[in-house]
Amino acid sequence: MDYRTFQGPNLPGLLQAVRVALGDDAVVVRTRGPAETDGRNYEVVVAPPGAEVVVRRTTLVPRPRGGPRVIALVGPAGGGKTTAAVKLALHAGAFGREPVGLITLDTYRAAAVEQLDAYAQVAGLPLEVAYGATDVDGALERLSDRATVIVDTPGRSPSLGTDSDWQAALDVLRPDEVHLVIPASMRADVACSMRDAFGRTRPTHVLLTRLDEVVGRGGVRELRELLGLPMRWTSHGPRVPHDLDASAAAGSLLRAG
């Protein structure tokens, strides 16, 4: 595998350099902080887009519960997890005036951290990046003043067994809720396959996105019923944070049409 190594003092700037060199879909294989390098620079090891990378396995004992409420978003790539995470953090109908923080485990695409960091900076939200299970306790400690922490994850199925670092980190986080983020326009059989593929993350809810792209609500109702998971929110458009509905409004949307 033709890996490339990038170094720099600023992680967002370093990821931007990766994107310029290899594109948005470059695969981040490993990231090390200054404490692990020369005391000044971050280091990112990257594979070209489309590379199949097997990440080392990490086995750690899950952390004891305590601190902020943790809500994780999981699901396929392109389903709208990152946008939904920011909507939940900012929408008054989600957590009211409670202080919310963000953690991203999606460090596999060079553009992913940069995208969420841009949202977080504009919104004034604290963001922590966890590259593996060993980063979790420190991230939660720095977010200990938050009532709720929302966790964004890669769009990679745990059933593939190749991305164990983010799965191990999620295990250590022990989320109070895990929301499977699925586009409402997804075919029912494919959505059920995705639910099964992400079964290791133990989804507790489904969050349907892109309701604005669906004509009629019969297929959406059927999709929700087939997935067999409760639903607290839906997303019906791209606007942040406005296009988000809590459970009562979501129920009205599904009954309409």
Side-chain angles (χ1 to χ4, degrees), residues 69-87:
R69 176 196 304 118
V70 177
I71 294 180
L73 305 183
V74 303
K81 293 186 299 298
T82 300
T83 303
V86 181
K87 288 180 182 180

Side-chain angles (χ1 to χ4, degrees), residues 121-145:
Q121 288 193 41
V122 170
L125 296 170
L127 169 67
E128 292 291 329
V129 182
Y131 295 96
T134 56
D135 297 324
V136 165
D137 283 339
L140 285 175
E141 176 63 28
R142 289 185 290 274
L143 295 174
S144 60
D145 63 331

